[in-house]
Amino acid sequence: MMSDSVRNSTYSPEKFEKKLYQYWLKGDWFCADETDTSKPNYTILIPPPNVTNRLHMGHGLNMTIQDILVRWKRMQGFNACWLPGLDHAGIATQMMVEKDLNATGVTRQELGREAFFARCVEWKEQYGNIILDQLKQLGTSFDWKRETYTMNEQLSKAVRKIFVDLYRDGLIYRGERLVNWDPVLKTAISDDEVENKEQNGKLWYYKFPVVGSMTDEHLVVATTRPETSFGDVCVAVHPEDTRYQHLIGKDLYHPLAEREIPVIADTYVKQEFGTGCVKITPAHDFNDFEVGKRHNFKMINIFNEDASLNELCPTQYQGMSRLEARKAVIKFLREHNYLVKEENHKNTLPISERSKEVVEPRLSYQWFLKMSEIVEPAIEAAKTDELKFYPQTWKKTYLHWLENIQDWCISRQLWWGHRIPMWECQDCQTYSTGEQDPSTCENCGSTDLVQDSDVLDTWFSSWLWPFSPFGWPEQTQALQAFFPSNVIVTGAEIIYLWVARMIIASYYTMGKLAFKDVYMNAIVCDKQGRKFSKTLGNGIDPIEMIDKYGADAVRFTCVSLAPLGGRVRMNKDDFEVGHRFINKIWNAAKYLLHYLDEQEPLEKLDHARLDPASKWLLNSYVNTCTAVNNHLEKYQINEAVDTLYHFVWGAFCDWGLESAKIVLTETSHPDRAQVKSTLLYVFEGILRLFSPVIPFVTEELWHTIPRHPDWSFGTEQTLMVMDYPTYNPQWVFTQDAQEWSQIQSLISGIRSVRTQANVPPKEKLCAIVALEDTGLTAVLQKGEAWIRSLAGINDLKYQPGLSRPAQSLLTTGKGWTVYVPVGDYLDVESECKRLQGEKKRIAGIVMGLQKKLQNKQFMERAPEQVITTTQAQYDNMSGQLKTVEQNLAALSEK
RNA sequence: GGGCGCAUAGCUCAGUUGGUUAGAGCGCUGGUCUUACAAACCAGAGGUCCUUGGUUCGACUCCAAGUGCGCCCACCA
């Protein structure tokens, strides 16, 4: 390690971050050992990034949180395993590879399935690791030896195994469902590939005569898509709609399809929209599909693959396109007096991203998983709080979804992914499956088998993530050690898609809860509160920020801005804050080293010889240790970081180092050795406490500073596995700390007085302390050297009961008043104004407190402790009020 | 439309189970190059805690309604 990097230079993270990461890798400190049973295990699974991903700020935050938890637990002595890996991302990858391919003038279909698949594999090899490399720049302590991937051999085996198990348990079935069909590309496309465009359309109203009516009775139905009418199976009205009660169950004549259809009742219908009557076309509309299924109607598909009308329509319409058919249908309705009216209507059209053609919902066969039969333990776990959400509010969302769970459509019409392990027998049309490819039909023994052409939904591999990477279905040692994991850290948007399903899968295969804690990280937004997105281009590139400010600054900024859950608004400038703070730590180290480099050996800390400033610092340090650990236990990472930030800057630097200066600069000072020892002891503690958050700079500094006799160091040469600091009663000095804070407020008070009077900083002043409680004399005398140095005082006197000397300003604290004669610097007018303001403010508080104390009900019902503190406040504030009044009077006399 | 959440300083946000004079960072004002750091130090200004009502001795905190905003789901014949 190059310790001179600290002594002689400014903070430049680029000089050591890469070097240190290599050092950690070489030392194998990120690796967890499943055979080591001497330590408790701690496991976190990465939410596997898509192979198509580049690192964005959402990852930055998400990964930093996980890394902090893992590094913290590792320092606490856990066998910590953070599992890295990638998701093959079926749709996203296929889209990118296809786009690439199309640019060369070749379609996926022309290339053929096998060659296209090979191209995807190649693409993954080439680009898939970019995000993992970027994660290394962020300093993530993944156990890289376990790096995995949802399409590798081992995980594919796991996918195959669970599919077969589920099928054998009767939980996987084939059923009909509507998909988004692109009539130009003649393929199903995913929701991601559909853009909804609002446009001005029309709403056509036309008549359906009631069959057998003597009075020409009819219903009027409104539709935006009259051309689909040939597929109508019924007309629906709301069951409570008084207008149509008598018609429910009657038949209507369909003037276009030239057949009769019934009137049914369904709550799906909105009475106030249109006429309150809806024609139901289950094969061509997502909502109608649900209604049709509920009422057991036949689905009539009236389109060919290219969305032209097929043989189920009357001959004159067959072969027409959707638009041609629409014109022809309207012409017919108008000519035969069925059309009642047409009106303008705004609606949204689903457009295929790639062909720009209007998407047509199309009936197709899909594979489904019966979720209701395997979901129960996942519901129980949340209800009993065995599974906990951070923040808790997500429990409701989770339960709401699980309690209304739908069957999961697990097939996708893609080429990139795990091929569905189902073979259709060409002789008897039944399906066969197996962990090995079947050679004969399970039903009739035929060898004429054809594998299903679809692949599995990408989530069908990622739901196995808690156990598949550790070797499942083999009962490996790693699986024993690292399943279940401890916490999952992810975005709330995939609570259904991923989190809930992992829990379901783990109960199904392992019979156990996959993880006890679910941490929902904040959503990263821009300054206007918009989610970072590619299309908006409002994202902040973490790598750009790392290059500019260093990984530690990026990590620090991300987590300190992000509360548990919620969302965080980010700005490029925010990273400057992190960088400045780390620079502050760097400079503090530089200053310390200046004195630590001296030859004399470091002393152990000695209670009897610690000065008041050191006792205060140690006491604050111990409190900080407790607070940080408590916050981390509760996943309040921003709170932990905030606590540390203020301890380092406000306590250690502004008071600790500043107070130490008067001792350190005097080479023969008797307290010097203990002060140096205290500073180093606390600084080592800071480095340890902060190491999980900002691992690089803490490690770099740790290698530079000397080892302290009061800290224990293992044999490992890295900060990242040193013991994490905890509450240490040895360094608790409650009384001394309280006394020292009196000195601090006295110093601050005098500084404030100096500013009020515009006294130049270098000018020394006299200060006269008037004590109400003479017991404080000893306390203040102990702090005299610091009062002189830090407040710019050259003459400090004690005069109990003194009233205000001429031309002086004052500052008050608990039991004391300090008068500072400022001579001609005193501006009587502005001082009077200030005192009057003070008087008003304090009088208000005093009055409030008095009212409270006179309130009978308050005295009767409030807890005794509250009454005591209120009384004490009252005494204190009225004392202050008296002082202010006296001084105001004294000032006015002149 | 269904579900969930948010509203505190100019900006971004803390504020743990109701109980001192509501905090921080950035920005702003004034002063300082004080031998770690001007990427800093010292001091300061700035808030009817969205509105109204309720519970309570006591509400930024709990409850209800209203207003404004965000997210997820369904998006409409």
Side-chain angles (χ1 to χ4, degrees), chain A residues 380-398:
Chain A
E380 270 313 294
K383 280 189 171 165
T384 58
D385 281 332
E386 190 188 353
L387 173 71
K388 284 207 180 83
F389 289 87
Y390 297 85
Q392 290 181 304
T393 168
W394 293 107
K395 176 178 166 177
K396 280 185 219 162
T397 312
Y398 170 88

Side-chain angles (χ1 to χ4, degrees), chain A residues 275-455:
Chain A
T275 57
C277 306
V278 195
K279 64 182 197 61
I280 300 298
T281 322
H284 298 288
D285 180 280
F286 290 101
N287 288 309
D288 292 6
F289 178 77
E290 294 300 323
V291 178
K293 240 179 28 185
R294 266 204 292 280
H295 296 269
N296 286 319
F297 281 104
K298 211 177 134 196
M299 314 272 163
I300 307 170
N301 178 9
I302 61 153
F303 290 126
N304 295 308
E305 284 194 339
D306 62 355
S308 62
L309 274 64
N310 68 15
E311 68 287 349
L312 295 179
C313 306
T315 358
Q316 67 269 34
Y317 299 106
Q318 287 176 21
M320 283 185 179
S321 75
R322 288 171 292 179
L323 211 61
E324 288 165 351
R326 179 177 298 179
K327 283 183 190 153
V329 161
I330 290 162
K331 186 164 173 254
F332 173 87
L333 291 172
R334 184 172 285 133
E335 283 170 359
H336 293 81
N337 282 325
Y338 285 111
L339 193 71
V340 178
K341 63 171 175 178
E342 60 176 70
E343 60 186 29
N344 291 327
H345 177 68
K346 271 210 173 88
N347 63 343
T348 43
L349 276 187
I351 309 287
S352 166
E353 220 170 57
R354 280 182 289 165
S355 69
K356 305 297 173 198
E357 184 59 48
V358 178
V359 171
E360 186 63 44
R362 186 181 167 88
L363 265 188
S364 65
Y365 278 99
Q366 304 289 340
W367 293 97
F368 291 89
L369 176 57
K370 282 185 199 165
M371 296 301 274
S372 53
E373 300 191 20
I374 49 175
V375 75
E376 205 44 52
I379 294 174
E380 270 313 294
K383 280 189 171 165
T384 58
D385 281 332
E386 190 188 353
L387 173 71
K388 284 207 180 83
F389 289 87
Y390 297 85
Q392 290 181 304
T393 168
W394 293 107
K395 176 178 166 177
K396 280 185 219 162
T397 312
Y398 170 88
L399 280 174
H400 185 257
W401 186 69
L402 288 186
E403 283 168 349
N404 298 286
I405 199 155
Q406 307 274 312
D407 287 351
W408 176 12
C409 177
I410 53 173
S411 47
R412 292 292 182 272
Q413 291 68 57
L414 297 170
W415 286 355
W416 177 237
H418 301 277
R419 185 92 175 252
I420 291 181
M422 280 297 202
W423 281 259
E424 187 182 17
C425 173
Q426 299 304 294
D427 292 325
C428 71
Q429 270 69 49
T430 61
Y431 281 87
S432 300
T433 188
E435 281 171 59
Q436 306 302 321
D437 293 3
S439 51
T440 55
C441 171
E442 286 168 17
N443 183 44
C444 72
S446 163
T447 53
D448 194 0
L449 299 177
V450 176
Q451 189 174 7
D452 193 286
S453 61
D454 288 352
V455 301

Side-chain angles (χ1 to χ4, degrees), chain A residues 473-671:
Chain A
E474 305 303 323
Q475 291 300 316
T476 62
Q477 214 167 356
L479 188 63
Q480 291 292 319
F482 303 122
F483 178 91
S485 50
N486 293 73
V487 58
I488 204 85
V489 179
T490 189
E493 69 276 8
I494 53 174
I495 194 166
Y496 309 139
L497 291 172
W498 193 48
V499 177
R501 284 173 180 164
M502 280 193 288
I503 292 168
I504 294 169
S506 296
Y507 274 120
Y508 178 72
T509 57
M510 307 288 293
K512 273 187 199 164
L513 179 58
F515 31 77
K516 288 199 301 287
D517 292 344
V518 179
Y519 177 105
M520 293 300 174
N521 63 240
I523 302 164
V524 182
C525 302
D526 66 8
K527 225 189 163 182
Q528 285 118 54
R530 298 175 308 181
K531 217 166 150 177
F532 278 170
S533 77
K534 245 185 232 153
T535 42
L536 276 171
N538 58 348
I540 301 173
D541 179 5
I543 297 301
E544 187 192 324
M545 293 298 109
I546 289 173
D547 289 344
K548 194 168 174 194
Y549 298 112
D552 285 328
V554 170
R555 295 168 62 106
F556 175 87
T557 303
C558 276
V559 294
S560 64
L561 287 176
L564 184 52
R567 66 184 178 151
V568 50
R569 293 186 201 211
M570 255 184 222
N571 203 329
K572 280 191 181 179
D573 302 341
D574 291 334
F575 293 92
E576 181 87 31
V577 178
H579 185 258
R580 282 186 197 181
F581 173 60
I582 295 160
N583 183 55
K584 184 78 182 172
I585 300 179
W586 185 271
N587 280 304
K590 226 164 121 178
Y591 180 73
L592 269 183
L593 281 170
H594 184 66
Y595 296 101
L596 294 174
D597 283 346
E598 293 165 355
Q599 287 308 304
E600 56 184 28
L602 275 159
E603 287 187 359
K604 278 189 80 106
L605 290 169
D606 177 1
H607 274 216
R609 291 163 56 216
L610 288 167
D611 69 355
S614 296
K615 285 182 178 172
W616 173 83
L617 185 61
L618 284 165
N619 189 69
S620 313
Y621 165 71
V622 172
N623 290 339
T624 303
C625 292
T626 308
V628 168
N629 280 295
N630 286 345
H631 286 310
L632 289 176
E633 293 290 353
K634 289 187 267 182
Y635 297 104
Q636 295 168 338
I637 297 178
N638 66 316
E639 301 276 348
V641 170
D642 196 54
T643 304
L644 270 172
Y645 173 92
H646 285 103
F647 176 69
V648 170
W649 204 313
F652 187 76
C653 293
D654 290 347
W655 283 105
L657 291 181
E658 290 305 319
S659 306
K661 278 180 182 172
I662 60 165
V663 177
L664 293 176
T665 49
E666 196 183 314
T667 43
S668 59
H669 198 290
D671 293 341

Side-chain angles (χ1 to χ4, degrees), chain A residues 62-80:
Chain A
N62 175 254
M63 299 297 172
T64 303
I65 290 167
Q66 295 174 62
D67 198 33
I68 289 172
L69 294 172
V70 167
R71 283 174 178 272
W72 170 53
K73 287 292 173 184
R74 195 182 283 122
M75 289 177 81
Q76 284 189 335
F78 283 78
N79 189 23

